[in-house]
Amino acid sequence: MIRLIMNGLEVQAEEGWTLLETAQFYGLEIPTLCHNEGLTPWGGCRLCVVEIGAKPKTRLVSSCTYPAEEGLVVQTDTKRVIRARRMMIELMLSTAPMSKKIQDLASKFGVTEQRYPPRNEECVYCGLCVRMCDEQMDARAIGFQNRGHKRKISTPFDIRSEDCRLCGACIYICPACSARCQGPSAETDICNACLQIEPTCLEEYGELNCWMYDAGRCGTCVQDKSK
Amino acid sequence: MDVQIDRVKASILKHKSQKKALIAILQDIQAEHNYLPPDALRAVARSLGVPLIDVIGVATFYRAFSLKPRGRHIVTVCLGTACHIRGGPKILEEFERKLAVQPGETTPDGQFTLETVACLGCCAIGPVVVVDRDYHAHTTTRKVDGILKRYRKPGRPS
């Protein structure tokens, strides 16, 4: 057993657990996008960042790839963490504003402004489909190609692959493929429609370490969301 | 261009069918054909037991590899900072005009492929133009014709 401190609580992790798994075991909510339990950790979306170490020398690491270490001090919901997550959501939102999953994340984390021009791409390069195809479907029909701004996910030579069985798992798992709801703000880049429904106790009360997460859900602590 | 699978196989055997030799094998193929033919890539994937998509991933990651057929001679114009201020873009324009292709393209007769590079590390002799492996130092727009003439197949209309 590995003992570490998470949000001020002493927690125990099994050998080989990541910080994310430890947090999930204790019911601490950490948002993820590129993570899936059946697939190898990727560390691409950086939504699961947590702050580790003692102040003032803390640093942000992706909890889905960082192993639980003896005596580690972890904070999952500090202002710095929330700011980093919001930045990632904002960037992904500008890449793929048509994605329901990313719109939902934006609503949940109160990302209400968009400082980057929308690129309207259909991919945020989370690599879920590539790992799904490789690890669960054992097909290895799709993969990353090229590099830098030309990077893309495709089949070899962009033609129907002999290894592809058209199982559709890549589409099933894709966070960008599910279209956002066509509500009243369908024309805007950020719909934020769910903001009114589900307030969260993230920014203003971040330092309080509200580890009873369902208590925050009710919104009693953040009725006044003055910015 | 016929892809000689035997030659590909020979290259793979030379590297003892090791997966870690993938880049070396691709370099061999690239040296022979000046690009990576799809059939050769399929043969490599099958022989090494590496998924084809991984071979493609490596082949598309590095700029040294090309999946598009390229010409017999590769003309590389340096557009690094030093060559840029010494007139690299002008020289590139001249090549574009003379060969009637854009960077990254190959002339219809398959003789030349025009490419650009960000820096070759020999800024002192800039602007630099590299054709195949020959470095042409202190290039000017006037020298472009002469350089092309040296590599053009004799007896062909220019």
Side-chain angles (χ1 to χ4, degrees), chain A residues 134 139-148 154-157 159 162-163, chain B residues 36-39 41-42 51-54 56-58 60-63 67:
Chain A
D134 177 3
R140 294 172 204 90
I142 53 172
F144 285 102
Q145 292 177 24
N146 297 331
R147 171 170 53 126
S154 183
T155 53
F157 313 114
I159 53 172
E162 292 162 22
D163 300 316
Chain B
L36 299 174
D39 286 341
L41 291 176
R42 288 199 181 93
L52 177 61
I53 188 68
D54 289 353
I56 303 277
V58 171
T60 54
F61 185 88
Y62 295 102
R63 254 197 90 180
L67 292 185

Side-chain angles (χ1 to χ4, degrees), chain B residues 50-133:
Chain B
V50 176
L52 177 61
I53 188 68
D54 289 353
V55 177
I56 303 277
V58 171
T60 54
F61 185 88
Y62 295 102
R63 254 197 90 180
F65 298 128
S66 171
L67 292 185
K68 271 198 299 187
R70 296 202 293 177
R72 186 158 297 150
H73 304 289
I74 315 290
V75 179
T76 312
V77 182
C78 182
L79 292 180
T81 313
C83 292
H84 186 94
I85 56 169
R86 288 182 178 190
K90 285 248 164 67
I91 289 158
L92 179 64
E93 267 175 41
E94 187 69 13
F95 272 111
E96 285 174 9
R97 230 186 336 265
K98 285 269 157 26
L99 296 174
V101 290
Q102 292 295 306
E105 292 176 356
T106 306
T107 51
D109 60 359
Q111 283 288 300
F112 293 101
T113 296
L114 184 60
E115 287 187 348
T116 63
V117 69
C119 185
L120 292 161
C122 51
C123 308
I125 59 168
V128 184
V129 171
V130 184
V131 185
D132 298 339
R133 291 203 165 172

Side-chain angles (χ1 to χ4, degrees), chain A residues 183-226:
Chain A
S185 336
E187 301 302 313
T188 57
D189 290 327
I190 309 180
C191 77
N192 278 150
C194 307
L195 261 189
Q196 291 89 40
I197 302 166
E198 199 177 25
T200 52
C201 64
L202 291 172
E203 175 144 302
E204 286 88 336
Y205 300 88
E207 304 291 350
L208 291 180
N209 295 323
C210 180
W211 47 272
M212 290 183 64
Y213 274 76
D214 283 335
R217 285 272 176 77
C218 68
T220 44
C221 56
V222 279
Q223 285 301 338
D224 176 24
K225 277 183 79 81
S226 53

Side-chain angles (χ1 to χ4, degrees), chain A residues 7-58:
Chain A
N7 287 0
L9 300 167
E10 189 180 298
V11 297
Q12 292 184 336
E14 302 241 353
E15 202 71 44
W17 275 11
T18 62
L19 291 182
L20 180 67
E21 283 167 317
T22 314
Q24 283 173 343
F25 182 77
Y26 281 91
L28 300 171
E29 197 178 313
I30 296 178
T32 57
L33 185 85
C34 73
H35 180 79
N36 188 288
E37 272 180 29
L39 305 172
T40 50
W42 183 255
C45 71
R46 317 309 285 184
L47 280 186
C48 67
V49 284
V50 293
E51 205 169 347
I52 60 164
K55 281 182 181 173
K57 272 186 147 184
T58 59

Side-chain angles (χ1 to χ4, degrees), chain A residues 50-169:
Chain A
V50 293
E51 205 169 347
I52 60 164
K55 281 182 181 173
K57 272 186 147 184
T58 59
R59 59 196 183 101
L60 293 179
V61 295
S62 58
S63 62
C64 68
T65 53
Y66 202 92
E69 285 172 358
E70 184 72 36
L72 197 68
V73 178
V74 185
Q75 299 281 340
T76 65
D77 262 357
T78 60
K79 281 195 171 157
R80 191 177 164 202
V81 167
I82 302 300
R83 202 174 296 136
R85 285 178 189 161
R86 281 190 170 168
M87 180 54 121
M88 289 318 298
I89 292 169
E90 205 177 327
L91 286 167
M92 283 192 286
L93 195 63
S94 73
T95 309
M98 294 313 288
S99 155
K100 171 172 163 46
K101 194 154 183 187
I102 298 168
Q103 289 282 355
D104 288 352
L105 281 166
S107 294
K108 189 169 179 188
F109 280 82
V111 176
T112 50
E113 60 166 344
Q114 195 187 29
R115 290 166 287 178
Y116 311 104
R119 301 229 302 266
N120 291 313
E121 287 175 21
E122 290 163 340
C123 184
V124 289
Y125 308 98
C126 65
L128 275 172
C129 53
V130 175
R131 280 174 288 154
M132 187 71 160
C133 191
D134 177 3
E135 294 165 21
Q136 290 294 338
M137 296 305 150
D138 206 26
R140 294 172 204 90
I142 53 172
F144 285 102
Q145 292 177 24
N146 297 331
R147 171 170 53 126
H149 71 284
K150 286 183 183 163
R151 202 166 187 227
K152 63 170 182 179
I153 293 172
S154 183
T155 53
F157 313 114
D158 297 336
I159 53 172
R160 165 90 200 277
S161 167
E162 292 162 22
D163 300 316
C164 177
R165 300 189 300 268
L166 295 177
C167 68

